[in-house]
Each structure stands twice: as structure tokens, then as C-alpha cells.
Amino acid sequence: MRTFRYLYGPVPSRRLGRSLGIDLVPHKVCTYNCIYCQVGRTTEETVVRKEYIPKEEVLEEVRSFLAKEGPPIDHLSLSGSGEPTLHSQIRSIIEGIKGMSKTPVAVLTNGSLLYEKEVREDLLLADVVLPSLDAVSQEVFRKINRPPGVFSVDNVIAGIVEFRKIYRGQIWLEILFCRGVNDGRDELRRMKEAIDRIGPDRVHLNTVVRPPAETWARPLSNQELEEIRVFFGERASIITEFDRHLFSVSEGNRRQEILKILKRRPLSHVDLSKGMGISPEELEGEIRPLVQEGTVRVRFFEDSVYYEMAKRDESL
Ligand code: SF4
């Protein structure tokens, strides 16, 4: 059975259902270095757009995956181990995918490059774009997203506002809250103003629910998130845990799939077993040897057991 290099999952997704991830940049190339990042600290912080991964290889993998028999997929999602709009060919990759499938294409972006006209135009064919916006003041922006010096959060917001003007698809804005960092009263008030300026279709509120890049990035309580949801109004919702859309992986490939998924992000025992459509006991049987041999390690976060790669394996 074929192993894909640039595709992962389908993995549990809180917003996109059963979503096939398409990774457009290597781990971990990003314009930001967020304190809460679940794929770890950024190793290459850059604003340089280029063809990080050969476009034709990505499209060939998607074509090959779609040709397989299997349960339907809800979204084909450009995301992965960093910022997908850094890929200079993202427009023709979306065009290529649209040419081979009717499945909606989603782009999960931090929105940092939308101030560039070319990037805004590159995303026009996507069905849903999910930009993040965790701060509206420069000081909080620097603290939570840790961008390179060139970035101004005012420009980032202006870029998303401009994108809204020309884009006909859905915009789901995500705000991730870290306790004591971006949840201050004044920041929330200004965020609400920014949301009104942008006019997204939905606003998704999130907090630190998976092991973060920095251990001091802490979550808000459900009650605090709920208060923010009410303050932000009817467009806002709290993203709930994935609990449906099981997917299966063939027996022979389970170990490989587990490693591929964990290479991109830590996952809890519950998420991993639900996502793979296997019982917690079956997962235990698969994962225990990986932990014993030192390939995967256990990490505790907020009363849950998570698994993550103990060391990087670029062949996965
Ligand atoms: S959370 Fe997203 S934007 Fe932030 S560092 Fe991680 S990949 Fe980049």
C-alpha cells in the first residue's frame, strides 16, 4: 500500500469534519512562532514565498488518494506543519485540486500574508478560508504570535479586510486565547471592533487544548470562553472537540499512519483512537511498542495523555 508524503489523515478536525490534510511546507516553516503552536517551535521563520514542495508531487498524491475507494471526505485542507500561503504555487495547487474533485477546499492560514495582493488573489478559488487573528494590538501580537520584526498587526488586519471585499467564499476567523496574554478587557473590546471591520461568516473561539510550544501558554476555562462568545455576538462559537467522522486505516499501515499523524502534532489517546476508528484498547496495542522502543513519547497536558514523536523522522 502506498504511503503519502504530503497528505495526512484524514485527521480529527474540529471545524472541517473528516478532513484530508495537505502539507504545503516542511516542518516547521512559518511566518509566526506562536506560543501555543501544537506543532512545536518554528525552525524557519520567514516571509519568503517559494515552491517549498514540488507542486506536481502534491497534485499527484491528491489524485492518487482520491482514486482510492473509501468513505467520503468533508474537506481537502491546505494546512499542515506551517503556513501554507508561503507556498508560491498555492493558487495552481487549488486550481489543480478543483479540477479533480468537487470536495470543498479549505485553507487554514494565519492570515499574515494577506496584506499582499497576490496572496489574496491566490486564495480566491478556495471554498473556505480560515484565517487566525489572536491579537489586535502590536504588543499582544508580538507576545502571542512572535512574528518577525517586519510585521505590523494593523497591516495583517487590513489584509484580511481587503480579502473579505473580493472573496465570495466562507471566511471563518479563529481566535485562540491564552490566559493572561490576549484575554484582557481592552484587547477583547478592540478585537470585537476588528471582527466588525472584517465581517467574517463565523468566528471560532479556541484555547490551548493541546500541548503548546511553550509550557507557560495556558488555556481559558469554558466559562471564560463562554463569556467572550456572548460578548462577540451571534457569529461567534466555541469550537467543540471532534467526536464523529471516524476514519479507518488498513491493518498493515496503522503504525505508519500513527507516526505520520504524530509527526505533525501531538494527539491525545482519545483523539487518536476516535480519529482512526479503532478502540482505545486496540490503539494501546499499537502505541505501546512505539513508546517502548522510544519512537513515541507520552506527554501529560491538562489531565489528558498525549502522544508525540520522540525524535523527528523525515522519511515519514
Ligand atoms: S500556530 Fe500556526 S501560525 Fe502559529 S506558529 Fe504554529 S503553524 Fe505557525
PDB file of all heavy atoms in Angstrom, residues 27-52:
ATOM      1  N   HIS A  27       8.055  20.873   7.872  1.00  0.00           N
ATOM      2  CA  HIS A  27       8.080  21.183   9.300  1.00  0.00           C
ATOM      3  C   HIS A  27       9.384  21.917   9.605  1.00  0.00           C
ATOM      4  O   HIS A  27      10.436  21.466   9.199  1.00  0.00           O
ATOM      5  CB  HIS A  27       8.038  19.887  10.085  1.00  0.00           C
ATOM      6  CG  HIS A  27       7.890  20.082  11.556  1.00  0.00           C
ATOM      7  ND1 HIS A  27       8.954  20.430  12.352  1.00  0.00           N
ATOM      8  CD2 HIS A  27       6.826  19.971  12.373  1.00  0.00           C
ATOM      9  CE1 HIS A  27       8.541  20.519  13.606  1.00  0.00           C
ATOM     10  NE2 HIS A  27       7.244  20.252  13.646  1.00  0.00           N
ATOM     11  N   LYS A  28       9.381  23.047  10.250  1.00  0.00           N
ATOM     12  CA  LYS A  28       8.277  23.858  10.578  1.00  0.00           C
ATOM     13  C   LYS A  28       8.577  25.267  10.095  1.00  0.00           C
ATOM     14  O   LYS A  28       9.268  26.024  10.772  1.00  0.00           O
ATOM     15  CB  LYS A  28       8.078  23.796  12.092  1.00  0.00           C
ATOM     16  CG  LYS A  28       6.725  24.253  12.539  1.00  0.00           C
ATOM     17  CD  LYS A  28       6.514  25.126  13.462  1.00  0.00           C
ATOM     18  CE  LYS A  28       5.409  26.051  13.555  1.00  0.00           C
ATOM     19  NZ  LYS A  28       5.604  26.761  14.784  1.00  0.00           N
ATOM     20  N   VAL A  29       8.095  25.498   8.855  1.00  0.00           N
ATOM     21  CA  VAL A  29       8.341  26.768   8.179  1.00  0.00           C
ATOM     22  C   VAL A  29       7.103  27.632   8.358  1.00  0.00           C
ATOM     23  O   VAL A  29       6.008  27.254   7.948  1.00  0.00           O
ATOM     24  CB  VAL A  29       8.615  26.545   6.674  1.00  0.00           C
ATOM     25  CG1 VAL A  29       8.864  27.867   5.972  1.00  0.00           C
ATOM     26  CG2 VAL A  29       9.792  25.606   6.486  1.00  0.00           C
ATOM     27  N   CYS A  30       7.244  28.782   8.985  1.00  0.00           N
ATOM     28  CA  CYS A  30       6.075  29.611   9.258  1.00  0.00           C
ATOM     29  C   CYS A  30       6.486  31.081   9.339  1.00  0.00           C
ATOM     30  O   CYS A  30       7.657  31.401   9.562  1.00  0.00           O
ATOM     31  CB  CYS A  30       5.408  29.178  10.563  1.00  0.00           C
ATOM     32  SG  CYS A  30       3.747  29.878  10.768  1.00  0.00           S
ATOM     33  N   THR A  31       5.502  31.943   9.158  1.00  0.00           N
ATOM     34  CA  THR A  31       5.757  33.378   9.317  1.00  0.00           C
ATOM     35  C   THR A  31       5.702  33.780  10.791  1.00  0.00           C
ATOM     36  O   THR A  31       6.143  34.868  11.155  1.00  0.00           O
ATOM     37  CB  THR A  31       4.695  34.189   8.554  1.00  0.00           C
ATOM     38  OG1 THR A  31       3.406  33.697   8.934  1.00  0.00           O
ATOM     39  CG2 THR A  31       4.867  34.050   7.055  1.00  0.00           C
ATOM     40  N   TYR A  32       5.107  32.925  11.621  1.00  0.00           N
ATOM     41  CA  TYR A  32       4.998  33.194  13.056  1.00  0.00           C
ATOM     42  C   TYR A  32       5.693  32.088  13.855  1.00  0.00           C
ATOM     43  O   TYR A  32       6.078  31.041  13.316  1.00  0.00           O
ATOM     44  CB  TYR A  32       3.521  33.202  13.488  1.00  0.00           C
ATOM     45  CG  TYR A  32       2.657  34.330  12.996  1.00  0.00           C
ATOM     46  CD1 TYR A  32       1.267  34.257  13.163  1.00  0.00           C
ATOM     47  CD2 TYR A  32       3.184  35.470  12.390  1.00  0.00           C
ATOM     48  CE1 TYR A  32       0.431  35.280  12.729  1.00  0.00           C
ATOM     49  CE2 TYR A  32       2.332  36.498  11.961  1.00  0.00           C
ATOM     50  CZ  TYR A  32       0.965  36.388  12.124  1.00  0.00           C
ATOM     51  OH  TYR A  32       0.135  37.394  11.700  1.00  0.00           O
ATOM     52  N   ASN A  33       5.731  32.330  15.153  1.00  0.00           N
ATOM     53  CA  ASN A  33       6.263  31.337  16.084  1.00  0.00           C
ATOM     54  C   ASN A  33       5.380  31.396  17.339  1.00  0.00           C
ATOM     55  O   ASN A  33       5.822  31.799  18.413  1.00  0.00           O
ATOM     56  CB  ASN A  33       7.727  31.687  16.403  1.00  0.00           C
ATOM     57  CG  ASN A  33       8.375  30.679  17.324  1.00  0.00           C
ATOM     58  OD1 ASN A  33       7.902  29.551  17.471  1.00  0.00           O
ATOM     59  ND2 ASN A  33       9.457  31.089  17.979  1.00  0.00           N
ATOM     60  N   CYS A  34       4.130  30.983  17.173  1.00  0.00           N
ATOM     61  CA  CYS A  34       3.115  31.183  18.225  1.00  0.00           C
ATOM     62  C   CYS A  34       3.457  30.394  19.486  1.00  0.00           C
ATOM     63  O   CYS A  34       3.888  29.240  19.405  1.00  0.00           O
ATOM     64  CB  CYS A  34       1.749  30.745  17.718  1.00  0.00           C
ATOM     65  SG  CYS A  34       1.248  31.592  16.231  1.00  0.00           S
ATOM     66  N   ILE A  35       3.164  31.005  20.621  1.00  0.00           N
ATOM     67  CA  ILE A  35       3.488  30.344  21.893  1.00  0.00           C
ATOM     68  C   ILE A  35       2.647  29.092  22.111  1.00  0.00           C
ATOM     69  O   ILE A  35       3.053  28.199  22.814  1.00  0.00           O
ATOM     70  CB  ILE A  35       3.312  31.314  23.090  1.00  0.00           C
ATOM     71  CG1 ILE A  35       1.866  31.819  23.186  1.00  0.00           C
ATOM     72  CG2 ILE A  35       4.297  32.465  23.001  1.00  0.00           C
ATOM     73  CD1 ILE A  35       1.581  32.614  24.467  1.00  0.00           C
ATOM     74  N   TYR A  36       1.472  29.034  21.455  1.00  0.00           N
ATOM     75  CA  TYR A  36       0.573  27.903  21.679  1.00  0.00           C
ATOM     76  C   TYR A  36       0.681  26.845  20.588  1.00  0.00           C
ATOM     77  O   TYR A  36      -0.068  25.863  20.594  1.00  0.00           O
ATOM     78  CB  TYR A  36      -0.883  28.394  21.744  1.00  0.00           C
ATOM     79  CG  TYR A  36      -1.322  29.096  20.479  1.00  0.00           C
ATOM     80  CD1 TYR A  36      -1.669  28.374  19.341  1.00  0.00           C
ATOM     81  CD2 TYR A  36      -1.365  30.488  20.420  1.00  0.00           C
ATOM     82  CE1 TYR A  36      -2.051  29.017  18.171  1.00  0.00           C
ATOM     83  CE2 TYR A  36      -1.747  31.134  19.257  1.00  0.00           C
ATOM     84  CZ  TYR A  36      -2.089  30.394  18.141  1.00  0.00           C
ATOM     85  OH  TYR A  36      -2.448  31.033  16.989  1.00  0.00           O
ATOM     86  N   CYS A  37       1.585  27.032  19.636  1.00  0.00           N
ATOM     87  CA  CYS A  37       1.597  26.167  18.447  1.00  0.00           C
ATOM     88  C   CYS A  37       1.688  24.695  18.830  1.00  0.00           C
ATOM     89  O   CYS A  37       2.544  24.294  19.600  1.00  0.00           O
ATOM     90  CB  CYS A  37       2.752  26.544  17.530  1.00  0.00           C
ATOM     91  SG  CYS A  37       2.694  25.615  15.994  1.00  0.00           S
ATOM     92  N   GLN A  38       0.797  23.900  18.252  1.00  0.00           N
ATOM     93  CA  GLN A  38       0.780  22.481  18.604  1.00  0.00           C
ATOM     94  C   GLN A  38       1.755  21.668  17.764  1.00  0.00           C
ATOM     95  O   GLN A  38       1.929  20.483  18.023  1.00  0.00           O
ATOM     96  CB  GLN A  38      -0.637  21.926  18.474  1.00  0.00           C
ATOM     97  CG  GLN A  38      -1.203  22.033  17.097  1.00  0.00           C
ATOM     98  CD  GLN A  38      -2.640  21.557  17.026  1.00  0.00           C
ATOM     99  OE1 GLN A  38      -2.928  20.524  16.473  1.00  0.00           O
ATOM    100  NE2 GLN A  38      -3.543  22.315  17.610  1.00  0.00           N
ATOM    101  N   VAL A  39       2.365  22.293  16.757  1.00  0.00           N
ATOM    102  CA  VAL A  39       3.391  21.553  16.009  1.00  0.00           C
ATOM    103  C   VAL A  39       4.801  21.975  16.418  1.00  0.00           C
ATOM    104  O   VAL A  39       5.773  21.672  15.738  1.00  0.00           O
ATOM    105  CB  VAL A  39       3.198  21.626  14.473  1.00  0.00           C
ATOM    106  CG1 VAL A  39       2.069  20.750  14.023  1.00  0.00           C
ATOM    107  CG2 VAL A  39       2.987  23.034  13.983  1.00  0.00           C
ATOM    108  N   GLY A  40       4.902  22.654  17.539  1.00  0.00           N
ATOM    109  CA  GLY A  40       6.222  22.961  18.091  1.00  0.00           C
ATOM    110  C   GLY A  40       6.742  24.326  17.676  1.00  0.00           C
ATOM    111  O   GLY A  40       6.063  25.091  16.994  1.00  0.00           O
ATOM    112  N   ARG A  41       7.951  24.637  18.124  1.00  0.00           N
ATOM    113  CA  ARG A  41       8.537  25.941  17.793  1.00  0.00           C
ATOM    114  C   ARG A  41       8.926  26.000  16.324  1.00  0.00           C
ATOM    115  O   ARG A  41       9.322  24.988  15.731  1.00  0.00           O
ATOM    116  CB  ARG A  41       9.787  26.170  18.640  1.00  0.00           C
ATOM    117  CG  ARG A  41       9.448  26.447  20.081  1.00  0.00           C
ATOM    118  CD  ARG A  41      10.692  26.792  20.873  1.00  0.00           C
ATOM    119  NE  ARG A  41      10.330  26.879  22.280  1.00  0.00           N
ATOM    120  CZ  ARG A  41      11.133  26.574  23.279  1.00  0.00           C
ATOM    121  NH1 ARG A  41      12.365  26.184  23.039  1.00  0.00           N
ATOM    122  NH2 ARG A  41      10.723  26.674  24.528  1.00  0.00           N
ATOM    123  N   THR A  42       8.802  27.202  15.756  1.00  0.00           N
ATOM    124  CA  THR A  42       9.173  27.412  14.357  1.00  0.00           C
ATOM    125  C   THR A  42      10.689  27.294  14.206  1.00  0.00           C
ATOM    126  O   THR A  42      11.440  27.896  14.961  1.00  0.00           O
ATOM    127  CB  THR A  42       8.689  28.805  13.906  1.00  0.00           C
ATOM    128  OG1 THR A  42       7.267  28.834  14.032  1.00  0.00           O
ATOM    129  CG2 THR A  42       9.086  29.115  12.476  1.00  0.00           C
ATOM    130  N   THR A  43      11.106  26.502  13.225  1.00  0.00           N
ATOM    131  CA  THR A  43      12.550  26.365  12.999  1.00  0.00           C
ATOM    132  C   THR A  43      13.011  27.280  11.866  1.00  0.00           C
ATOM    133  O   THR A  43      14.183  27.615  11.777  1.00  0.00           O
ATOM    134  CB  THR A  43      12.911  24.909  12.652  1.00  0.00           C
ATOM    135  OG1 THR A  43      12.013  24.445  11.640  1.00  0.00           O
ATOM    136  CG2 THR A  43      12.792  24.011  13.864  1.00  0.00           C
ATOM    137  N   GLU A  44      12.093  27.659  10.967  1.00  0.00           N
ATOM    138  CA  GLU A  44      12.437  28.607   9.899  1.00  0.00           C
ATOM    139  C   GLU A  44      11.341  29.662   9.846  1.00  0.00           C
ATOM    140  O   GLU A  44      10.293  29.453   9.234  1.00  0.00           O
ATOM    141  CB  GLU A  44      12.577  27.877   8.557  1.00  0.00           C
ATOM    142  CG  GLU A  44      13.106  28.800   7.465  1.00  0.00           C
ATOM    143  CD  GLU A  44      13.297  28.081   6.133  1.00  0.00           C
ATOM    144  OE1 GLU A  44      13.404  26.837   6.107  1.00  0.00           O
ATOM    145  OE2 GLU A  44      13.318  28.790   5.107  1.00  0.00           O
ATOM    146  N   GLU A  45      11.591  30.789  10.500  1.00  0.00           N
ATOM    147  CA  GLU A  45      10.601  31.877  10.483  1.00  0.00           C
ATOM    148  C   GLU A  45      10.930  32.766   9.290  1.00  0.00           C
ATOM    149  O   GLU A  45      12.005  33.357   9.236  1.00  0.00           O
ATOM    150  CB  GLU A  45      10.651  32.669  11.790  1.00  0.00           C
ATOM    151  CG  GLU A  45       9.434  33.567  11.946  1.00  0.00           C
ATOM    152  CD  GLU A  45       9.337  34.191  13.343  1.00  0.00           C
ATOM    153  OE1 GLU A  45      10.384  34.545  13.909  1.00  0.00           O
ATOM    154  OE2 GLU A  45       8.223  34.328  13.840  1.00  0.00           O
ATOM    155  N   THR A  46      10.018  32.828   8.335  1.00  0.00           N
ATOM    156  CA  THR A  46      10.335  33.505   7.083  1.00  0.00           C
ATOM    157  C   THR A  46       9.083  34.120   6.465  1.00  0.00           C
ATOM    158  O   THR A  46       7.966  33.706   6.777  1.00  0.00           O
ATOM    159  CB  THR A  46      10.949  32.490   6.077  1.00  0.00           C
ATOM    160  OG1 THR A  46      11.254  33.157   4.854  1.00  0.00           O
ATOM    161  CG2 THR A  46       9.994  31.344   5.772  1.00  0.00           C
ATOM    162  N   VAL A  47       9.280  35.093   5.575  1.00  0.00           N
ATOM    163  CA  VAL A  47       8.174  35.610   4.781  1.00  0.00           C
ATOM    164  C   VAL A  47       8.436  35.344   3.292  1.00  0.00           C
ATOM    165  O   VAL A  47       7.722  35.856   2.433  1.00  0.00           O
ATOM    166  CB  VAL A  47       7.963  37.134   5.009  1.00  0.00           C
ATOM    167  CG1 VAL A  47       7.500  37.390   6.428  1.00  0.00           C
ATOM    168  CG2 VAL A  47       9.213  37.929   4.693  1.00  0.00           C
ATOM    169  N   VAL A  48       9.440  34.540   3.011  1.00  0.00           N
ATOM    170  CA  VAL A  48       9.813  34.259   1.621  1.00  0.00           C
ATOM    171  C   VAL A  48       8.898  33.194   1.047  1.00  0.00           C
ATOM    172  O   VAL A  48       8.815  32.076   1.568  1.00  0.00           O
ATOM    173  CB  VAL A  48      11.279  33.780   1.537  1.00  0.00           C
ATOM    174  CG1 VAL A  48      11.635  33.411   0.097  1.00  0.00           C
ATOM    175  CG2 VAL A  48      12.212  34.855   2.077  1.00  0.00           C
ATOM    176  N   ARG A  49       8.199  33.555  -0.039  1.00  0.00           N
ATOM    177  CA  ARG A  49       7.319  32.602  -0.703  1.00  0.00           C
ATOM    178  C   ARG A  49       8.102  31.857  -1.779  1.00  0.00           C
ATOM    179  O   ARG A  49       8.795  32.470  -2.585  1.00  0.00           O
ATOM    180  CB  ARG A  49       6.132  33.323  -1.349  1.00  0.00           C
ATOM    181  CG  ARG A  49       5.270  34.075  -0.356  1.00  0.00           C
ATOM    182  CD  ARG A  49       4.023  34.605  -1.041  1.00  0.00           C
ATOM    183  NE  ARG A  49       3.033  33.556  -1.252  1.00  0.00           N
ATOM    184  CZ  ARG A  49       2.126  33.565  -2.220  1.00  0.00           C
ATOM    185  NH1 ARG A  49       2.094  34.546  -3.091  1.00  0.00           N
ATOM    186  NH2 ARG A  49       1.250  32.579  -2.330  1.00  0.00           N
ATOM    187  N   LYS A  50       7.998  30.563  -1.776  1.00  0.00           N
ATOM    188  CA  LYS A  50       8.621  29.781  -2.838  1.00  0.00           C
ATOM    189  C   LYS A  50       7.945  28.415  -2.911  1.00  0.00           C
ATOM    190  O   LYS A  50       7.082  28.096  -2.081  1.00  0.00           O
ATOM    191  CB  LYS A  50      10.126  29.651  -2.609  1.00  0.00           C
ATOM    192  CG  LYS A  50      10.523  28.942  -1.334  1.00  0.00           C
ATOM    193  CD  LYS A  50      12.050  28.915  -1.209  1.00  0.00           C
ATOM    194  CE  LYS A  50      12.450  28.152   0.038  1.00  0.00           C
ATOM    195  NZ  LYS A  50      13.866  28.132   0.308  1.00  0.00           N
ATOM    196  N   GLU A  51       8.390  27.620  -3.888  1.00  0.00           N
ATOM    197  CA  GLU A  51       7.784  26.298  -4.065  1.00  0.00           C
ATOM    198  C   GLU A  51       8.495  25.328  -3.114  1.00  0.00           C
ATOM    199  O   GLU A  51       9.364  24.574  -3.527  1.00  0.00           O
ATOM    200  CB  GLU A  51       7.898  25.856  -5.528  1.00  0.00           C
ATOM    201  CG  GLU A  51       7.049  24.653  -5.850  1.00  0.00           C
ATOM    202  CD  GLU A  51       6.997  24.350  -7.345  1.00  0.00           C
ATOM    203  OE1 GLU A  51       7.484  25.179  -8.142  1.00  0.00           O
ATOM    204  OE2 GLU A  51       6.492  23.263  -7.692  1.00  0.00           O
ATOM    205  N   TYR A  52       8.101  25.364  -1.839  1.00  0.00           N
ATOM    206  CA  TYR A  52       8.793  24.571  -0.821  1.00  0.00           C
ATOM    207  C   TYR A  52       8.710  23.075  -1.121  1.00  0.00           C
ATOM    208  O   TYR A  52       9.599  22.315  -0.789  1.00  0.00           O
ATOM    209  CB  TYR A  52       8.182  24.849   0.557  1.00  0.00           C
ATOM    210  CG  TYR A  52       8.582  26.191   1.120  1.00  0.00           C
ATOM    211  CD1 TYR A  52       7.797  27.322   0.894  1.00  0.00           C
ATOM    212  CD2 TYR A  52       9.756  26.341   1.843  1.00  0.00           C
ATOM    213  CE1 TYR A  52       8.163  28.561   1.392  1.00  0.00           C
ATOM    214  CE2 TYR A  52      10.131  27.585   2.348  1.00  0.00           C
ATOM    215  CZ  TYR A  52       9.329  28.683   2.120  1.00  0.00           C
ATOM    216  OH  TYR A  52       9.705  29.911   2.604  1.00  0.00           O
TER     217      TYR A  52
END
